[in-house]
C-alpha cells in the first residue's frame, strides 16, 4: 500500500515564502512523475509543478520564476519551494505521484490528503 503525506503548508503574507514537502511510503518500485496540484473552491485541481525522474520539470505559467519543484529520488520525496507568494496562490496543495509498486507492473496515480496554503495580509 502506498501513502503520500504532505507537510509545510500554512499562512503567509504576500511576498513571503513557504516550502512544501511530500513523502511517498509503502511498496514502491518507481515514481514518475511527482509533483504538486492546487485546488480552490469551485475549481478543478490544476497542475502547479511536477518533476520527472530524469530532472525534467513542468510549471504552470503563473508560478514560473517564483516556485521551484525538486525531488530526492532516494527518499521518495518531492519539494515545492514557493517564493514571492501572492494571494492568488492560496489554495489546497495536493501532492501527486505516478507509482509502480513492481518494476513490471502498471503505473497508478496516488494523491496526498492536501495541505492548505493561505496568502493574505
Amino acid at each position: 500500500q502506498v501513502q503520500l503525506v504532505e507537510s509545510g503548508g500554512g499562512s503567509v503574507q504576500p511576498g513571503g515564502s513557504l516550502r512544501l514537502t511530500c513523502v511517498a511510503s509503502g511498496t514502491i518500485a518507481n515514481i514518475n512523475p511527482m509533483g504538486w496540484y492546487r485546488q480552490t473552491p469551485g475549481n478543478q485541481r490544476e497542475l502547479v509543478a511536477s518533476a520527472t525522474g530524469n530532472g525534467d520539470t513542468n510549471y504552470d505559467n503563473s508560478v514560473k520564476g517564483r516556485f521551484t519543484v525538486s525531488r530526492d529520488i532516494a527518499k521518495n520525496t518531492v519539494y515545492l519551494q514557493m517564493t514571492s507568494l501572492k494571494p492568488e496562490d492560496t489554495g489546497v496543495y495536493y501532492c501527486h505521484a505516478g507509482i509502480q509498486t513492481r518494476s513490471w507492473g502498471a503505473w497508478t496515480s496516488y494523491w496526498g490528503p492536501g495541505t492548505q496554503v493561505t496568502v493574505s495580509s
Side-chain angles (χ1 to χ4, degrees):
Q1 187 167 351
V2 173
Q3 188 176 23
L4 303 183
V5 178
E6 302 111 337
S7 61
S11 295
V12 65
Q13 292 186 340
S17 299
L18 284 173
R19 188 193 197 206
L20 304 184
T21 300
C22 172
V23 181
S25 62
T27 303
I28 298 170
N30 296 294
I31 301 178
N32 201 32
M34 198 170 186
W36 298 90
Y37 285 69
R38 177 174 62 213
Q39 189 168 24
T40 54
N43 294 307
Q44 290 188 332
R45 205 171 290 186
E46 296 179 338
L47 176 69
V48 175
S50 67
T52 65
N54 62 6
D56 292 335
T57 57
N58 185 32
Y59 293 93
D60 182 77
N61 285 335
S62 68
V63 306
K64 284 182 179 177
R66 300 187 297 121
F67 291 10
T68 303
V69 63
S70 60
R71 289 179 59 178
D72 185 327
I73 303 295
K75 294 182 179 179
N76 292 335
T77 299
V78 65
Y79 306 97
L80 184 66
Q81 180 67 49
M82 304 185 291
T83 63
S84 301
L85 281 159
K86 303 176 181 180
E88 51 263 43
D89 295 320
T90 295
V92 179
Y93 283 69
Y94 294 91
C95 178
H96 169 265
I99 293 176
Q100 276 184 313
T101 55
R102 294 182 176 86
S103 295
W104 60 91
W107 290 89
T108 303
S109 280
Y110 290 88
W111 295 90
T115 185
Q116 176 71 42
V117 171
T118 302
V119 185
S120 174
S121 55

